[in-house]
Amino acid sequence: MSAYRALDLFELDALLTEEERLVRDTARSFVSERVLPVIERHFEQGSFPMDLIPQMAELGFFGANLEGYGCAGLGAVAYGLIMQELERGDSGVRSCASVQGSLCMYPIYAYGSEEQKERWLPRMAAGEVIGCFGLTEPDHGSDPGSMQTRARRTAGGWVLNGTKRWITNGSIADLAVVWARTGEDASSIRGFLVEKGTPGFSAPQIERKWSLRASVTSDLILEDVEVPDSAMLPGVQGLRGPLSCLNQARYGIAWGAIGAMQACFDEALRYATARTQFGRPIAGFQLTQHKLCEMASEITKAQLLALRLGRLKEQGRAQPWQISLAKRNNVYWALEIARTARQILGASGITHEYQCGRHAANLESVITYEGTHEIHTLIVGKQLTGLDAFQ
Ligand code: TGC
Ligand code: FAD
């Protein structure tokens, strides 16, 4: 099959710097050469391709937008382009990198002590320490402010009790960022760094998923887990702590979704031009061209949205509701495009020989995690109306 061609109808490449194009092309080659040859097998087996971790670390993909501590110090757009390319491979591979960089390294970077940063960040950038982020609980998903996980003060530190659910990287993580209440309400929430092997801490894997199969998803169980004072992130308290990390990860997902869209569009276009019915390529039928036109329009709009958001982020001006709007829009359309691609492929679309079915299945998770489609609707709705639907 000829090489992948990314759609760029409005010459957005010209709006990227040379460095950004180089980073994008490096990630693109990595996905073509290292991810795509193995990903279907891992998806079928329900396993994460662990050998990609040192390779992603080597290329500087972990915490790529953080400065110092062994991180690449790239801008927001370059970081977004890495997420885009990884998700062209598989949402699970992008998830691993998002969680490592945006949800585990970022809180240490933004809210950790100097000692915590020195201890963890260089090894996380090098892929020697894998992280996870424990916010969601069995009974508290969209409403993390009601979490039940507790941290109780002791003479030398804290004792943690509770259960986190649906935690990406959980069972393969060496370090978990666990959010817990230290008092009665959400304003008492603090972040704790819990190391694998700490007595009372376990991370059983969640099995039988039909989405994000090439990704590890786990429970985190904390039963009288004792951690020292030095395990608490000193720089933040309240729900703002975890939510500010989600801003970073949701931003990356807004870009990642474009990669999934591009993979599905590329596959659908190739198939439609090659597949003949009624004596002509199905791409020649008006109904197919309508589908392809809709897909290309939405990809182009998603690209413009992500790029503008990235430039705002680089200027320190991206607002959380803008990130919500972009995550909501781009993931919604990625899922629509994956389903439309599957339709264009007919029966072939339901096999593992093609990617669109895998992307569609994955995107059912992506539209749910990091804030569901409905939650992002209400965040944007609050911005537009001044009325808070959550209160
Ligand atoms: P609310 O009263 O609005 O806010 C509480 C405090 O938080 C502040 N805040 C934010 N700060 C930074 N960034 C944001 N985006 C923020 N949103 C709110 C806010 O200013 C306030 O601060 P303060 O100092 O005044 O106290 O909170 P609420 O309880 O009404 O909840 C709001 C809501 C529903 C939007 C929020 O809870 C929410 O976003 N829920 C969705 C939960 C979610 O996204 N979970 C994701 C879990 S992690 C995950 O899915 C990883 S998947 C990884 C992968 O595999 O890629
Ligand atoms: P609920 O909050 O119970 O929502 C159920 C339905 O009700 C949804 O459709 C929702 O939109 C709707 N709903 C809820 N509240 C409202 C409202 N106010 N108005 C209208 N509709 C509403 N979490 C982590 O902490 N760390 C991770 O690494 C992580 N990784 C994940 C990986 C995967 C594969 C998945 C699937 C999830 C992951 N999550 C993770 C959890 C994810 O963030 C939650 O699933 C998500 O926040 C939604 O919570 P919930 O599933 O409990 O659904």
Side-chain angles (χ1 to χ4, degrees), residues 16 35-36 62 66 99-100 104-105 108 129 139 220 228 248 325 331 336:
L16 303 178
V35 178
L36 291 178
F62 294 147
L66 306 180
V99 168
Q100 178 80 349
C104 203
M105 294 173 74
I108 297 172
V129 168
D139 295 332
L220 302 183
Q248 311 303 315
L325 191 152
V331 174
E336 288 296 307

Side-chain angles (χ1 to χ4, degrees), residues 227-245:
V227 295
D229 254 337
S230 60
M232 189 188 74
L233 295 173
V236 76
Q237 180 167 340
L239 199 53
R240 186 174 70 81
L243 291 181
S244 62
C245 304

Side-chain angles (χ1 to χ4, degrees), residues 2-328:
S2 58
Y4 160 71
R5 278 207 323 272
L7 192 74
D8 183 14
L9 295 180
F10 280 67
E11 299 180 18
L12 298 181
D13 243 32
L15 301 180
L16 303 178
T17 65
E18 201 173 318
E19 185 192 46
E20 287 163 349
R21 281 196 292 271
L22 184 67
V23 167
R24 193 264 324 271
D25 292 345
T26 303
R28 187 168 288 174
S29 303
F30 167 74
V31 167
S32 297
E33 290 160 20
R34 306 287 176 175
V35 178
L36 291 178
V38 301
I39 201 66
E40 290 292 352
R41 177 168 56 81
H42 280 284
F43 187 92
E44 281 191 71
Q45 286 172 356
S47 57
F48 181 75
M50 291 295 287
D51 53 340
L52 295 182
I53 288 179
Q55 299 176 43
M56 288 196 277
E58 174 87 32
L59 292 169
F61 292 170
F62 294 147
N65 54 342
L66 306 180
E67 295 268 358
Y69 306 99
C71 303
L74 297 175
V77 170
Y79 171 76
L81 288 163
I82 295 172
M83 297 300 123
Q84 170 185 287
E85 294 307 317
L86 293 181
E87 198 145 1
R88 177 173 75 87
D90 191 84
S91 301
V93 176
R94 195 270 307 135
S95 261
C96 175
S98 292
V99 168
Q100 178 80 349
S102 289
L103 293 182
C104 203
M105 294 173 74
Y106 175 80
I108 297 172
Y109 179 85
Y111 307 124
S113 65
E114 199 48 45
E115 188 200 337
Q116 289 168 337
K117 293 183 210 187
E118 298 281 0
R119 179 168 180 208
W120 296 113
L121 294 178
R123 285 195 289 154
M124 297 187 81
E128 292 159 13
V129 168
I130 291 300
C132 69
F133 176 89
L135 179 64
T136 305
E137 299 183 351
D139 295 332
H140 305 284
S142 297
D143 178 21
S146 301
M147 70 172 64
Q148 284 165 6
T149 300
R150 292 263 175 174
R152 186 170 45 81
R153 200 94 176 81
T154 60
W158 299 86
V159 175
L160 303 181
N161 277 288
T163 302
K164 299 291 179 180
R165 181 151 296 163
W166 306 116
I167 307 306
T168 299
N169 291 352
S171 314
I172 58 169
D174 307 287
L175 184 68
V177 174
V178 173
W179 299 94
R181 295 153 69 128
T182 60
E184 287 315 305
D185 58 32
S187 66
S188 71
I189 290 171
R190 312 255 2 187
F192 295 88
L193 303 178
V194 181
E195 291 180 55
K196 182 181 184 170
T198 306
F201 176 53
S202 59
Q205 193 161 336
I206 297 173
E207 306 286 354
R208 304 190 67 214
K209 290 180 295 170
W210 54 259
S211 170
L212 230 68
R213 288 183 54 73
S215 172
V216 171
T217 316
S218 315
D219 280 353
L220 302 183
I221 297 171
L222 301 122
E223 289 170 339
D224 290 329
V225 174
E226 290 185 39
V227 295
D229 254 337
S230 60
M232 189 188 74
L233 295 173
V236 76
Q237 180 167 340
L239 199 53
R240 186 174 70 81
L243 291 181
S244 62
C245 304
L246 294 182
N247 293 336
Q248 311 303 315
R250 291 167 176 174
Y251 167 76
I253 292 175
W255 280 94
I258 299 169
M261 293 183 205
Q262 290 270 24
C264 294
F265 178 80
D266 184 58
E267 183 167 82
L269 183 61
R270 284 164 195 272
Y271 190 90
T273 46
R275 174 76 175 168
T276 300
Q277 288 294 289
F278 300 98
R280 58 197 292 204
I282 60 169
F285 295 120
Q286 291 178 0
L287 289 177
T288 309
Q289 289 186 8
H290 178 252
K291 289 186 177 77
L292 293 168
C293 173
E294 290 269 283
M295 293 160 98
S297 299
E298 293 305 334
I299 290 171
T300 304
K301 288 191 263 180
Q303 288 172 318
L304 286 162
L305 190 50
L307 184 57
R308 176 63 183 151
L309 182 64
R311 295 294 180 226
L312 287 173
K313 197 167 189 313
E314 285 170 349
Q315 296 162 21
R317 293 169 57 210
Q319 299 298 315
W321 65 268
Q322 292 173 318
I323 295 171
S324 284
L325 191 152
K327 190 265 183 187
R328 177 185 183 277

